[in-house]
Each structure stands twice: as C-alpha cells, then as structure tokens.
Amino acid sequence: MDQDGFILQIRHISKSFPGVKALDDISINIRPGTVHALMGENGAGKSTLMKCLFGIYVPDSGEIILDGKPEHFNTSRQALDAGISMIHQELLSIPYRSVMENLWLGRYPKRGAGPFKFVDHKRMYRDTVNLFEKLNLDIDPRIWVMKLSVSKTQSLEIAKAVSYNAKIIIMDEPTSSLTEREVSSLFEIIRRLRGEGVAIIYISHKIEEILSISDDVSILRDGRHVGTYEAGTLTTDLIIKYMVGRDLSNRFPPRDNVPGKVLLKVDSLTSPRKDSFRDVSFSVRRGEIFGIGGLVGAQRTELVEALFGLRSVESGHIYIDGEEVTIKNPAQAKAHKMALLTEERRATGIIPMLSIKANMLLANLKRYIGPLGLINEKRGEEDTQKNIHALQVKTPSAKNKIRDLSGGNQQKVLFARWLLTQPDILILDEPTRGIDVSAKYDIYTIIIDLAKQGKSIIMISSEMPELLGISDRIMVMCAGRVTGILEGREADQEKIMRLAAQFM
Ligand SMILES: Nc1ncnc2c1ncn2[C@@H]1O[C@H](COP(=O)(O)OP(=O)(O)OP(=O)(O)O)[C@@H](O)[C@H]1O
Ligand SMILES: [Mg+2]
C-alpha cells in the first residue's frame, strides 16, 4: 500500500491502435482488500486497460504505481512476479494437455538436481488436488482440457489466477459461462481473497452481479473514464446511464411479430448418451420466438447441436413444414435453411487471424460467387458494411482482424454471419452473452424483425429477463428433459425457476 492507501494507481494511461484511441487518459485508484468493478459498453476499453496492467500491451503514455512504486511491465511474467494475475476474457488453455499441466505451465515442480532434473508429476498432482479442494472445484487434474465443459475450463482459469498468490487479481468476465453453483463458489473465493487483503478488479456486463459483489465501480465510455463510484450509491439505471451516456428506459423493443403455421416439429428426440437429453418434443411456428430456459447443465446446447447435426441422436423425428427430414451433419441442416449461433465463439466460432469481413461472409460464400466462378467483391463489401452498421460493430475497418475486436463485438460479427445465410430457422445459443445493454437492444430488435419476416427463432438463454422479454413461448429443461412449455404472457421468473430445478 502507498501513503494514500492504494495498492494500485493507474495514472493517465493512454493507448491507441491503428484508427482507434482505445484508452484516453485513464486514471483510477484501487484500494487493497476490495472488489473494484470495471464497466462499460463493448469496445469501451476495459480489456485493453487490463492488458496494460498485465504487461500484454505497453501503454503509449501514463504510468502504473504498484504499492507506491512505479512499474513498467513489458511481459506478463513481469506483472506476475510483481503480484498481478489475470483471468482472460477468452479461454486460453491448451486443449491437448492435462488440467494440471495447464495449471502449472511454465512452472512445473521439479525433482532431482543439475542435469538430472525431472518434472515431479506426483507433486504436481498433489498441489492441484490441494488447490482444487481449497477452491471447492470438482475437476480431475489428469484429464485433457479439451474434455472439459466451457464452464469447467473457465473454473480452471480462475484456479490458475488464484494459484499465483497475487496481490491483485484481474477477472475479465469470469462468470460468462459458469453455472449458478460455480458463480456462488467464485463469489465465496472472491470474498475470502478480499478478506486476505487481495484487490480484485472485476469486469462483467451483468449489472446485478456487479452490485452484489463490488465495493467500487469505475465506468469507461469510448476509452474515457466516466467516473468511479461507491457501489452502495449506484442503481441499475444509474449504471446504464453512465455507461451509455443517456437513459435507456426500455430494455426490450416492442414485440409485434405474429406467429403463424408450425414450421419445425421435434418429436421424442433422444441422445445416445444416458446423461444427455431424452424424449424432447416441441414445435416452433413461423414468426415465433421460442425461448429455451434452464440452468447450465440442462442439456440445452446438446439438444440444439443435435438438431443442427453436430451430435448424433438415438431416436426421435424432426419435421420441417410437415415433412420428416434427416439431419446428420451441419451441411444437411444448412440445406434445410437452418443456422446455429454457437455459445463458445473461441472454440467453434471465430477464425482469429482472418478479417472481420471474411469471418462475416464465411458461412455463405456461395452468395458471393458469380456464374463464371468470379467473386462478387461488391456484394460482399455491401453486405459487410450493412451488418457492421446494423449491429454497430465497433471497428475502424472491415479489413481488421477479428481477434482485434473487443469480445462483445466479435459476438456481433458471428451473429451477422448467420443472418447473412438468410435462414428460415435460426437457432441462437446465448446470443447476447458478453454483449452490453444497448447492443443487446439492437440484437433483440433484429430478432423480432426476423420473426416478423416469418422466420422461426429458437433462443437458448440463461438470462431470465431476456427470455421473458422477447419469447412468445418458453420451453424449460432440467437434466435433459422438458419440464414445461409456458406461454410468454403467463411466464414469470418464479415459474421458470421452479421448472428449471424440477429434478433437484
Ligand atoms: N490488438 C488490437 N488491435 C486493434 N484494435 C484493438 C486491439 N485490441 C483492442 N482494440 C480496440 O480497442 C477498443 C477497446 O477494446 P477492448 O477489448 O478493450 O473493449 P472492452 O471494453 O473489453 O469490450 P467488451 O465488453 O466487448 O469485451 C475496441 O475498439 C477494439 O476494437
Ligand atoms: Mg473485453
């Protein structure tokens, strides 16, 4: 701590990328033993600021005072050695290595001496078990990371950040894919660390979460620092106002789509896996927004992946427009004019080194090839610009690599990719995950517009207000079974929760 009582002072930090001033003279002070939330719209500069603290980016100007001492990090290693660790927004683990190897990467325990030093696997295993016990995590240290669910992978990142015994832990959207239970155990860990004097810098788009866990809240807008507030003095509306720069009184656009005839019918679909979905039956009408609710682990993702031909089914039937169809792979699903926006953009979505434009046009290349096999550049450019504009993707140019976009803006590009395939049945798995409040509104508007054009929309969401806000009907699942289908008008949070936890 310095004489002002701060563990960390961020002073006048600025950082530009070609065409973007990502950070403009940011100064924020962090107190030890507190949770300091960082909020702002997609592309506001949150991750960039954290990467400056963690030695991934070198700021153009400004300084960092840690424990009263100016620090200049050129690598993450230096930041870690100085007592700062970070959980990244995107999952960075190496899939084909074990959990424990990922955890201790670059710092394996060794035994022996001199040239006869070996990795001490026994100790590595023991250390891992001890750490997981302390954190209340149920993961086998020996299995490959690729076998873990998204939520377990995220828990592993959290364990890794904690294992460095840092004074400051940066958490960039740590809960975006955790189950409810995992979120509450993360909050327990956070409270314990805070009690030990650790400062946590916490980034999230979930306002309720921020209000419940944080002590101070700093808000960024367009690379500038709007202000730092005591959490106790804030409300949801105030936070939105500071983030967006105006009041956003309606969080959902009016829903004026009119459902028509049944387009998709699913009858007793059952997974070959015992612990997955069973006997799932439902139908979705043209022009209908069909929500699927449930807790993480309800097998909703597995269900829609099976519908889209990414997973096999043991039995059951799928009908489109009254005719039975066979969907054994995504190509067949696409031929039936289905599209699926997946939950985990890093693993199944974006191609990081390609441009925004390429990522957007990818699922639909046929549309851009003319009769002589020539590429219709103009049409590709037009479609790209139109969608960048409609979804307000924040970028200086469509030629930029998608990996340089902020997390939420990457999600918008993926959304555009599937829109361009002009599907009849659009399946969305957590479409607004990591997306800020005002961009969410834009996405809801687009979903409702598509429904008005007669498309069928299936939307998995763990955000109750969102399910209730835009669904015509809501199917709730628990442990792989359908526990109820509610009319949107009759549904409320309590009814959904009761069905979601039916077998628990
Ligand atoms: N490596 C990079 N190259 C070019 N531009 C970048 C790079 N990293 C970030 N940017 C740009 O800087 C701005 C801030 O991005 P940043 O990732 O910090 O936003 P964020 O607040 O974390 O948003 P989100 O909530 O979507 O994660 C964005 O306009 C982004 O496109
Ligand atoms: Mg970010």
Side-chain angles (χ1 to χ4, degrees):
M1 216 193 304
D2 57 25
Q3 68 268 27
D4 301 317
F6 298 120
I7 181 84
L8 176 75
Q9 295 186 40
I10 297 168
R11 281 201 193 151
H12 304 292
I13 295 265
S14 292
K15 172 80 186 168
S16 292
F17 299 107
V20 198
K21 186 146 200 184
L23 298 173
D24 187 359
D25 193 21
I26 306 277
S27 298
I28 294 174
N29 296 327
I30 311 281
R31 302 183 285 146
T34 60
V35 178
H36 196 115
L38 193 56
M39 299 199 74
E41 294 185 281
N42 299 130
K46 305 177 296 292
S47 297
T48 303
L49 182 61
M50 294 304 106
K51 287 177 184 169
C52 287
L53 289 185
F54 194 56
I56 297 175
Y57 294 148
V58 177
D60 300 337
S61 57
E63 57 178 358
I64 292 163
I65 317 276
L66 182 63
D67 254 346
K69 223 175 85 211
E71 296 279 4
H72 293 276
F73 303 134
N74 293 306
T75 63
S76 299
R77 189 70 247 174
Q78 292 170 352
L80 281 168
D81 289 340
I84 301 181
S85 76
M86 175 158 172
I87 302 171
H88 293 270
Q89 181 171 14
E90 307 297 345
L91 307 172
L92 299 172
S93 320
I94 305 167
Y96 296 99
R97 292 247 186 128
S98 71
V99 164
M100 59 184 188
E101 282 170 326
N102 265 283
L103 192 59
W104 307 106
L105 198 68
R107 47 181 182 145
Y108 290 160
K110 302 268 174 59
R111 65 193 160 84
F116 302 105
K117 269 186 146 179
F118 301 99
V119 175
D120 188 345
H121 281 100
K122 265 202 192 121
R123 209 181 106 204
M124 185 150 77
Y125 180 78
R126 243 185 4 250
D127 290 352
T128 310
V129 170
N130 286 341
L131 178 69
F132 286 178
E133 238 162 51
K134 203 171 101 191
L135 302 180
N136 212 347
L137 274 185
D138 177 26
I139 304 177
D140 180 350
R142 286 164 303 200
I143 61 172
W144 275 1
V145 162
M146 72 168 296
K147 299 265 182 207
L148 297 180
S149 66
V150 178
S151 84
K152 286 276 187 331
T153 315
Q154 202 162 36
S155 301
L156 174 61
E157 295 279 323
I158 293 166
K160 191 170 179 178
V162 169
S163 72
Y164 285 99
N165 295 321
K167 289 179 279 196
I168 298 174
I169 303 181
I170 300 167
M171 303 188 175
D172 196 349
E173 301 196 36
T175 60
S176 58
S177 49
L178 294 185
T179 64
E180 269 80 341
R181 226 193 72 220
E182 288 162 338
V183 172
S184 49
S185 76
L186 173 65
F187 280 13
E188 245 169 64
I189 296 168
I190 290 181
R191 293 200 175 98
R192 196 166 71 218
L193 291 167
R194 170 166 67 184
E196 291 165 7
V198 175
I200 314 273
I201 306 182
Y202 191 91
I203 300 179
S204 171
H205 287 288
K206 301 180 186 166
I207 300 177
E208 292 76 22
E209 204 169 69
I210 294 283
L211 288 173
S212 81
I213 191 78
S214 52
D215 302 292
D216 299 325
V217 181
S218 286
I219 295 181
L220 302 185
R221 189 197 312 148
D222 291 331
R224 287 195 206 96
H225 181 211
V226 176
T228 297
Y229 313 88
E230 262 180 56
T233 66
L234 289 173
T235 59
T236 302
D237 286 344
L238 264 177
I239 292 180
I240 292 176
K241 189 171 156 185
Y242 292 144
M243 284 200 310
V244 182
R246 62 187 155 87
D247 281 312
L248 197 71
S249 45
N250 279 325
R251 284 169 76 181
F252 300 96
R255 198 151 50 77
D256 45 4
N257 56 310
V258 187
K261 280 207 327 238
V262 169
L263 178 62
L264 173 75
K265 184 163 175 258
V266 174
D267 183 21
S268 315
L269 213 60
T270 298
S271 161
R273 278 184 32 221
K274 284 272 161 309
D275 54 352
S276 194
F277 59 89
R278 293 203 87 67
D279 264 332
V280 174
S281 299
F282 64 92
S283 55
V284 186
R285 300 194 279 165
R286 289 182 188 277
E288 182 175 42
I289 301 171
F290 187 78
I292 306 184
L295 303 171
V296 180
Q299 306 295 316
R300 296 170 298 168
T301 296
E302 287 70 8
L303 171 69
V304 296
E305 284 179 356
L307 265 180
F308 197 67
L310 285 163
R311 285 172 189 271
S312 58
V313 292
E314 188 179 82
S315 57
H317 307 273
I318 301 171
Y319 304 86
I320 293 179
D321 248 343
E323 274 188 41
E324 178 153 15
V325 296
T326 317
I327 299 174
K328 288 221 158 72
N329 53 52
Q332 289 175 340
K334 275 195 239 169
H336 289 297
K337 305 206 82 172
M338 294 169 85
L340 170 67
L341 176 76
T342 52
E343 173 186 29
E344 178 43 60
R345 55 180 172 262
R346 194 79 179 191
T348 48
I350 69 164
I351 303 186
M353 54 291 177
L354 290 187
S355 69
I356 295 169
K357 182 172 157 189
N359 269 283
M360 208 182 271
L361 303 185
L362 195 70
N364 203 21
L365 291 177
K366 263 195 278 170
R367 185 173 150 80
Y368 305 104
I369 299 177
L372 300 172
L374 294 176
I375 302 213
N376 188 339
E377 278 283 349
K378 190 157 159 272
R379 177 183 266 181
E381 188 60 34
E382 272 170 17
D383 281 354
T384 310
Q385 289 308 333
K386 211 170 71 198
N387 279 287
I388 285 183
H389 183 74
L391 294 169
Q392 300 187 33
V393 178
K394 210 177 156 193
T395 178
S397 154
K399 293 199 188 73
N400 285 32
K401 295 204 169 67
I402 194 168
R403 64 160 183 239
D404 294 343
L405 289 185
S406 76
N409 281 296
Q410 293 180 2
Q411 180 77 352
K412 293 187 207 171
V413 172
L414 285 188
F415 195 82
R417 176 194 296 174
W418 294 112
L419 286 185
L420 281 168
T421 65
Q422 302 185 306
D424 284 342
I425 301 169
L426 180 60
I427 307 172
L428 306 167
D429 194 354
E430 304 284 359
T432 65
R433 188 174 117 194
I435 287 189
D436 69 54
V437 275
S438 63
K440 270 183 182 157
Y441 190 92
D442 298 334
I443 287 195
Y444 300 145
T445 307
I446 290 172
I447 292 177
I448 293 168
D449 267 353
L450 290 168
K452 278 205 285 201
Q453 293 163 29
K455 318 265 181 197
S456 299
I457 317 280
I458 298 176
M459 178 182 78
I460 298 181
S461 173
S462 299
E463 278 191 49
M464 212 70 91
E466 167 172 297
L467 268 184
L468 291 164
I470 69 164
S471 312
D472 294 297
R473 285 185 302 149
I474 301 165
M475 172 168 93
V476 186
M477 291 177 67
C478 175
R481 321 235 173 179
V482 175
T483 48
I485 297 183
L486 304 167
E487 286 293 324
R489 275 175 273 105
E490 295 165 0
D492 59 33
Q493 301 223 5
E494 210 190 305
K495 281 186 191 150
I496 296 178
M497 274 321 286
R498 214 178 299 130
L499 292 170
Q502 182 142 322
F503 305 132
M504 290 174 190

